[in-house]
Amino acid sequence: MVEIEVDKYYSNRGYYPYMTAQVFDALEAAYLSGAATALVPETDYYVMVSNINASLCKGQTATR
């Protein structure tokens, strides 16, 4: 599992198309409970980051 910041991802709708359902659901549950972070499956997190990186202009990468 990977711990990620709720505000960084859930508050940024631009990331939604790149999230797996598991990441979105974990972020939403954490947000609704008032948590600052959410635990998401490591594989799903890296799929999301890979999807984001693939959509960026060449030479840019998303950071954790």
Side-chain angles (χ1 to χ4, degrees):
M1 299 294 270
V2 175
E3 187 173 20
I4 60 174
E5 295 176 39
V6 172
D7 193 48
K8 180 176 181 178
Y9 294 101
Y10 188 73
S11 298
N12 187 341
R13 292 178 187 240
Y15 287 131
Y16 287 11
Y18 309 108
M19 292 180 187
T20 64
Q22 292 82 0
V23 170
F24 181 84
D25 290 345
L27 286 168
E28 185 172 51
Y31 174 81
L32 293 173
S33 71
T37 61
L39 288 174
V40 299
E42 186 173 352
T43 302
D44 289 306
Y45 172 76
Y46 287 114
V47 166
M48 177 184 73
V49 171
S50 177
N51 290 340
I52 292 167
N53 286 338
S55 73
L56 294 174
C57 295
K58 191 173 186 168
Q60 294 180 327
T61 59
T63 58
R64 292 186 200 177

